[in-house]
Amino acid sequence: MEYRELIACHECDALFRKPPRLRGLVARCSSCGAGMKGVRHAGLTLERVCAVTLAALITFLIAQAFPVLVLETNGLTSHATLVGAVQALWKGHMHIVAAMVFCTTMLFPSFELVALLYLLLPLRAGRVPRGFDAVLRLVQWVRPWGMTEVFMLGVLITIVKMVSLARVIPGTSLFAFGALTLMFCVIAAFDPCMLWEIRDEVANRGGAFIERTPRRARRNTVPAAVAPVARPAAAAVTARHAGLVACHCCGLVQSRSAHATDQHCVRCRSPLHERRPESLTRTFGLLLAAALLYIPANLLPIMHTSSLGGAEDDTILGGIAYFWRSGDWPLAAIVFVASVMVPMLKLAILTLQTVTAYRGSAWQPLERARLHRMVERIGRWSMLDVFVVSLTVALVHFGSLAQITAGPGALAFGSVVVLTMLASNEFDPRLIWDNVRRRPARAPTRP
Ligand SMILES: [Zn+2]
Ligand SMILES: [Zn+2]
């Protein structure tokens, strides 16, 4: 049985009455403070999302057609396009790094845009497109892996890096990527989870989907159930306590089958689990692999430069020291934070989360939940160095005069970023709160 009027927090499993459509407000769980997924937002209508997505797709195509940067030195000119960067890595036998750059900057962002248009345009016309469930599930899966904004920062760092060596001319693509980054910020504000509910409305009504904000919702937008009040977490009613389970994918709250081990969601057909199966074991395995690869990522060279003056290898720390020595302190700080601090922080925080959850600790649950959210948000920014390497490799290929190729450190570093992102995805944050709620409430002391 399904309960469409209920919503469960995806981070702490607390159960709420679904709030009305919001305008200019974000629904947050009053127990753990996480933003609630699947709550309809009246401010970002389907028309607006369609328009921005279409504009982003056109800008994306422009960004692929023109060079990002042009390098001029001693009468020689070199262009770097995004496709050229992937090709240069592939030719330099860095196949996995080439695949990482291709997927995060081209395949996943373009898939998200095309798939969103494929879903939104028919829904606007009052029709559910074929393969809706599979396409929307894929959109939700690829979303965290699109890294256009990180690539944009990588381009800016490459410009500063190259400007001391040669004349750098920004290409048409650079401006297109700038615009694309802003458009992706708007698209990221749209929660695709709410499309499941819109799909149901369209299927039930069989007509065009017209989005209107109810007058009552405009006047009183703060929902009673999801008011931003910190309630004691132990007192919250969870889906598990109520014998219910919320779908990981579409968020639908439904009855838990006591015997079925392979229960599937009645709406999106995704496998249903109270908690992610083997979450701690998988997180720990991925974390261990990432920690082991972090050592070669810092010791091995990420770039190899060969020129008439000789050959040179650059490690990540060497690159930061170069920026520092040449007086580019802000840049040295950005690269240090993105390439050294963020991966170390991620490894430390994920280890803390896994160990405390494994030991059944009820220590500081709110702070641990905030740390988990922070890791999910900052994880992608570590790809910065991989993008800088790929652009530099594509730009500097002047034959015997000067040639830069990617080193094995880039592969190890890229793998650390991907593995820590996977580990953070595998960790089930509800385990933090299960330990808090399992503890018996303290008996009131007699006066
Ligand atoms: Zn919560
Ligand atoms: Zn579902």
Side-chain angles (χ1 to χ4, degrees):
M1 190 177 167
E2 57 203 73
Y3 298 86
R4 289 175 189 263
E5 70 283 6
L6 294 178
I7 188 167
C9 173
H10 61 283
E11 282 199 14
C12 73
D13 208 28
L15 207 56
F16 297 102
R17 195 161 36 82
K18 203 172 255 184
R21 204 176 297 169
L22 303 176
R23 195 179 184 87
L25 286 168
V26 177
R28 291 201 177 279
C29 168
S30 56
S31 187
C32 73
M36 301 293 271
K37 280 186 184 172
V39 175
R40 297 273 289 280
H41 202 284
L44 208 58
T45 55
L46 290 195
E47 286 103 337
R48 287 182 195 174
V49 181
C50 273
V52 177
T53 311
L54 191 61
L57 189 62
I58 296 165
T59 318
F60 182 84
L61 294 174
I62 295 169
Q64 304 307 317
F66 296 96
V68 185
L69 293 173
V70 181
L71 197 70
E72 274 184 9
T73 179
N74 299 326
L76 294 168
T77 310
S78 166
H79 299 85
T81 58
L82 188 50
V83 182
V86 174
Q87 278 177 342
L89 287 169
W90 190 269
K91 280 179 194 162
H93 304 290
M94 281 285 153
H95 298 153
I96 298 175
V97 184
M100 279 180 203
V101 175
F102 173 71
C103 288
T104 52
T105 58
M106 293 168 80
L107 182 68
F108 294 157
S110 61
F111 175 80
E112 186 181 346
L113 296 176
V114 173
L116 271 179
L117 281 179
Y118 175 77
L119 298 174
L120 292 174
L121 290 174
L123 278 183
R124 279 289 307 134
R127 192 165 59 75
V128 179
R130 190 178 284 188
F132 180 95
D133 295 10
V135 175
L136 185 49
R137 276 207 301 265
L138 270 174
V139 168
Q140 286 178 272
W141 187 84
V142 300
R143 186 166 251 218
W145 297 95
M147 299 183 190
T148 309
E149 71 281 22
V150 186
F151 179 75
M152 184 66 206
L153 186 61
V155 175
L156 297 179
I157 287 180
T158 313
I159 293 175
V160 181
K161 203 173 172 181
M162 288 286 150
V163 91
S164 58
L165 306 171
R167 187 166 171 245
V168 185
I169 306 159
T172 314
S173 221
L174 180 65
F175 302 104
F177 269 112
L180 198 58
T181 306
L182 295 176
M183 289 176 199
F184 263 110
C185 289
V186 178
I187 296 169
F190 173 72
D191 176 12
C193 212
M194 68 176 78
L195 286 180
W196 292 107
E197 202 173 298
I198 294 174
R199 193 274 310 255
D200 289 352
E201 268 181 43
V202 169
N204 292 338
R205 197 164 44 188
F209 179 75
I210 302 158
E211 218 168 14
R212 286 203 188 96
T213 310
R215 282 187 180 278
R216 195 184 297 166
R218 275 187 209 166
R219 270 187 271 123
N220 180 22
T221 44
V222 181
V226 199
V229 183
R231 249 193 298 170
V237 175
T238 63
R240 179 186 253 182
H241 288 154
L244 305 172
V245 61
C247 175
H248 289 296
C249 183
C250 72
L252 183 68
V253 176
Q254 47 212 288
S255 310
R256 192 175 66 231
S257 164
H259 303 292
T261 48
D262 55 345
Q263 194 181 347
H264 284 77
C265 173
V266 292
R267 179 155 70 181
C268 71
R269 309 306 306 158
S270 302
L272 276 183
H273 303 288
E274 255 190 358
R275 301 290 177 264
R276 266 181 227 275
E278 304 291 332
S279 165
L280 290 182
T281 318
R282 289 184 193 186
T283 311
F284 186 72
L286 290 164
L287 209 55
L288 191 66
L292 288 175
L293 279 171
Y294 189 63
I295 302 163
N298 280 289
L299 295 179
L300 294 176
I302 54 163
M303 271 193 298
H304 178 77
T305 313
S306 55
S307 62
L308 290 175
E312 199 186 337
D313 283 336
D314 280 320
T315 57
I316 291 174
L317 287 170
I320 296 167
Y322 169 78
F323 281 136
W324 189 265
R325 278 197 303 271
S326 53
D328 288 324
W329 300 323
L331 212 60
I334 291 173
V335 179
F336 178 75
V337 167
S339 306
V340 180
M341 259 183 73
V342 169
M344 272 175 71
L345 255 177
K346 276 196 297 182
L347 288 173
I349 292 172
L350 282 167
T351 309
L352 175 84
Q353 302 282 27
T354 317
V355 171
T356 45
Y358 180 74
R359 289 169 57 90
S361 164
W363 175 72
Q364 304 287 4
L366 203 58
E367 280 69 25
R368 275 156 61 206
R370 281 183 188 144
L371 280 176
H372 175 73
R373 251 169 268 151
M374 189 184 84
V375 166
E376 286 208 317
R377 220 168 287 152
I378 62 170
R380 53 208 282 111
W381 289 93
S382 307
M383 276 300 264
L384 187 66
D385 239 0
V386 177
F387 294 145
V388 173
V389 169
S390 59
L391 277 167
T392 315
V393 167
L395 268 177
V396 186
H397 54 90
F398 298 115
S400 54
L401 278 178
Q403 184 90 22
I404 292 182
T405 49
L411 173 61
F413 189 77
S415 308
V416 170
V417 180
V418 172
L419 286 169
T420 45
M421 278 181 77
L422 285 173
S424 141
N425 278 350
E426 277 302 326
F427 181 76
D428 193 336
R430 287 171 294 193
L431 296 175
I432 299 172
W433 297 94
D434 283 349
N435 297 322
V436 179
R437 287 165 186 152
R438 203 173 288 149
R439 305 212 156 198
R442 197 178 289 168
T445 48
R446 279 165 187 267

